[in-house]
Amino acid sequence: MARQSLVEATVERMSDDVVDGPFLPGSELPPEADLAERYGVSRLTAREALKVLQAQGVVRGVRGRRSQVAPTSEWTGLELLLRSTSRRPGEESASLQLVAVRRMIETGAAELAAEHAVEADLTEMAAHLADMRRAHASNDLGLFVRADIAFHDVVLRASGNVFLRVVMEPLGRLLHEARTETSSHEPVQRNAIGEHEGVLAALRTGDPAASRRAMESHMDQTERDLRRHVLRQPAGAPASEAPMAR
């Protein structure tokens, strides 16, 4: 195994121990020699893996003491942060915060797309929407999720702002799993198809305000379905008060 892949594999195993224990946030890590023995690697490999986690804010060095696992509020690695918060009791708001981030970015993207989208963009969105309908009818969850994500990718591209896609790209990888979980519920697929139809119809008018409202409606639907079908919250549950939420 190449050295780089060995380091990556060690980072993955350390990450699992951070997320699932025994190395939870706030705890001290064992000495490098013990970590190397635990993962069956050299001390140099263990040290390099620690450096990767330090760069993501997951591990912090303490002068004169062993390294510590930092609080999740200091982590910058999105994938590991999502894994951690989604698996711990009382931190289910992570998925709601991701919807809030989508809301902030994608409503603006829809507003811009109304002004900049060309007919080819609208035709491509319609094709992805047709795939969503076909996937729903044939109970093909994988196709449904791929078509859903592809629809939103076209909206981001059609906005004409290259930074929006760069900002959303890492979130897209995280949201694929979340969308698969939510869309596994048949009513969610029906709701999503209706909302995507509304977004496309608004974009066809070229009205920025209407397009923003349509995407806002879609984000409302996404949050409602997440609360009801995944988080199992009662109807009328209060909106998240997390800092990222609207």
Side-chain angles (χ1 to χ4, degrees), residues 147-214:
D148 182 357
I149 291 173
F151 182 100
H152 286 271
D153 283 345
V154 178
V155 175
L156 291 171
R157 187 183 71 228
S159 72
N161 188 315
V162 295
F163 294 102
L164 288 178
R165 296 191 73 192
V166 173
V167 170
M168 283 296 292
E169 193 274 334
L171 290 179
R173 292 196 301 269
L174 302 177
L175 286 166
H176 186 279
E177 182 177 343
R179 290 189 197 184
T180 299
E181 181 179 25
T182 305
S183 297
S184 65
H185 302 272
E186 190 275 337
V188 175
Q189 292 190 19
R190 281 189 281 110
N191 292 341
I193 289 171
E195 294 294 338
H196 282 77
E197 289 172 344
V199 171
L200 180 57
L203 288 171
R204 286 193 184 281
T205 70
D207 185 333
S211 298
R212 186 182 188 96
R213 287 194 300 270

Side-chain angles (χ1 to χ4, degrees), residues 96-142:
L96 292 172
Q97 290 185 38
L98 283 173
V99 173
V101 171
R102 285 188 64 195
R103 183 189 299 276
M104 288 185 285
I105 295 173
E106 296 199 48
T107 53
E111 187 172 17
L112 290 171
E115 298 180 290
H116 299 289
V118 297
E119 188 58 36
D121 296 322
L122 299 173
T123 299
E124 188 175 354
M125 286 182 225
H128 293 315
L129 180 54
D131 282 341
M132 290 174 69
R133 295 192 190 99
R134 180 163 57 87
H136 176 245
S138 61
N139 196 29
D140 188 337
L141 177 59

Side-chain angles (χ1 to χ4, degrees), residues 35-92:
L35 288 172
E37 182 178 357
R38 179 182 181 86
Y39 301 118
V41 297
S42 68
R43 291 186 62 174
L44 178 58
T45 297
R47 186 177 305 127
E48 290 179 358
L50 284 172
K51 288 180 180 178
V52 172
L53 293 177
Q54 286 175 344
Q56 297 179 6
V58 176
V59 172
R60 58 187 179 191
V62 181
R63 195 173 191 81
R65 298 171 58 187
R66 298 202 301 264
S67 297
Q68 293 181 343
V69 180
T72 54
S73 59
E74 298 180 12
W75 296 7
T76 58
L78 286 173
E79 184 172 356
L80 186 56
L81 179 61
L82 181 62
R83 283 171 55 199
S84 175
T85 54
S86 63
R87 293 187 192 180
R88 292 190 185 149
E91 296 200 51
E92 62 186 16

Side-chain angles (χ1 to χ4, degrees), residues 223-245:
E223 181 173 341
R224 284 194 304 269
D225 285 342
L226 174 62
R227 289 180 181 277
R228 178 178 180 182
H229 296 285
V230 178
L231 301 181
R232 302 294 182 181
Q233 294 180 351
S240 171
E241 296 180 358
M244 286 188 189

